[in-house]
Amino acid sequence: MAVDGSGLQTVARALAVLRCFQGDSELGVTDIARMQDLPMSTTHRLLRALLDSQFVEQDTGTGRYRLGVALAEYGHLAYRRHRIYLAEPHLEQLGIETGTAVSIAVRHGSDAINLAFTRWREAHGHNLSEVRFPLHASALGKALLAWSPTTREDLAQLSYDRGTERTPQNPDELAAELELARRTGYAINDEQTEWGFRIIAVPVLGPDGHARFALALRGTTELMIPERIPFLADLARVTASAIGDAILREGGAPADHPAITY
């Protein structure tokens, strides 16, 4: 079936509406129309289509919208397809051994997306702000960049407007951090996305030697003191190797595993 330009525009607008819910909030029609700079009538039509397909749900009491069950279904399918469930026992064990929050992430465009967490997420309630991180500021993102075929031109295309005062502000500063990561064997986020927290990350390498995932340990600056970081990084590398064996090599994903988008 052919899709004309107007049909493609409608699809793009519907996907943009879904992205409005990345903060896991409930939104009204007016909120979404303002966020996407759309007419109210267009926003109503898009929400109705998303509602019919169960990509969004509507609270019958307030009339506000939230993400729907269809996305949970597709999320589980992707979770199984990328074999992330095989990493969970390793994440939990590393979290117990280190007392840190452990997660595994994949690259999506200019961000790193957390795919699985240790049970620390229960203490964070329903806040989903811990899911998506900018590549240039996060330890996960830096690990994905440092162990991939990334060029200086690739770094120049990233946006550097997110983070704290400690975050790399340009491609040169980021390139220096990536080189340091390759020398030490781990990437670090030293209060670059959130004050009071330090995160280190190591790559989960595929058969081609490139990072297919990144594994991170997150803790307070009091817990993750500089003297302890090399020890934590060593433990993380052992776990990353075990996860790589489980997900990527033991009868698993081929060399062109689709989880990473360069």
Side-chain angles (χ1 to χ4, degrees):
M1 180 178 64
V3 179
D4 59 18
S6 62
L8 291 175
Q9 183 184 53
T10 299
V11 172
R13 284 177 169 176
L15 293 174
V17 167
L18 286 177
R19 285 194 290 272
C20 292
F21 295 92
Q22 285 179 335
D24 194 36
S25 56
E26 291 192 351
L27 300 171
V29 178
T30 303
D31 301 322
I32 297 169
R34 183 175 60 252
M35 293 169 71
Q36 293 299 319
D37 193 24
L38 292 172
M40 290 286 289
S41 58
T42 301
T43 306
H44 270 292
R45 287 197 299 271
L46 292 170
L47 285 169
R48 175 52 56 186
L50 292 170
L51 189 64
D52 290 343
S53 60
Q54 296 186 311
F55 286 115
V56 299
E57 301 172 346
Q58 187 176 28
D59 189 301
T60 56
T62 65
R64 297 173 71 81
Y65 294 86
R66 56 179 174 261
L67 292 178
V69 295
L71 288 174
E73 177 187 0
Y74 288 114
H76 281 297
L77 289 172
Y79 182 83
R80 299 292 297 183
R81 170 65 185 85
H82 295 314
R83 300 164 59 87
I84 301 303
Y85 62 94
L86 295 174
E88 286 193 332
H90 301 284
L91 303 182
E92 297 292 350
Q93 183 61 38
L94 184 60
I96 292 170
E97 290 176 355
T98 62
T100 64
V102 184
S103 65
I104 188 170
V106 68
R107 180 176 176 179
H108 183 261
S110 60
D111 294 314
I113 307 295
N114 266 332
L115 300 177
F117 309 81
T118 50
R119 292 194 181 96
W120 68 275
R121 62 188 180 275
E122 297 167 0
H124 287 242
H126 299 290
N127 181 9
L128 295 185
S129 63
E130 306 292 342
V131 172
R132 178 181 291 267
F133 300 93
L135 292 177
H136 76 285
S138 61
L140 287 164
K142 293 173 195 172
L144 291 167
L145 289 171
W147 282 273
S148 69
T150 304
T151 66
R152 187 61 65 95
E153 289 72 23
D154 295 329
L155 301 185
Q157 293 176 6
L158 298 177
S159 174
Y160 292 85
D161 60 350
R162 297 155 67 187
T164 70
E165 296 172 3
R166 294 175 177 263
T167 308
Q169 302 297 310
N170 54 62
D172 290 337
E173 292 183 7
L174 178 57
E177 291 206 18
L178 298 184
E179 178 57 33
L180 177 62
R182 286 186 284 265
R183 290 202 308 268
T184 60
Y186 63 89
I188 189 166
N189 166 359
D190 191 359
E191 299 185 283
Q192 293 179 342
T193 54
E194 185 179 3
W195 293 110
F197 286 90
R198 192 170 282 136
I199 304 98
I200 60 172
V202 298
V204 178
L205 301 174
D208 57 3
H210 297 155
R212 301 304 174 87
F213 303 94
L215 175 73
L217 283 70
R218 176 182 184 272
T220 63
T221 51
E222 290 81 5
L223 172 65
M224 300 186 68
I225 58 175
E227 295 80 5
R228 195 178 182 220
I229 285 178
F231 169 71
L232 294 174
D234 285 342
L235 293 179
R237 280 190 289 269
V238 171
T239 300
S241 178
I243 290 174
D245 288 339
I247 295 180
L248 300 173
R249 287 184 279 275
E250 290 184 358
D256 59 346
H257 190 276
I260 285 291
T261 302
Y262 290 117

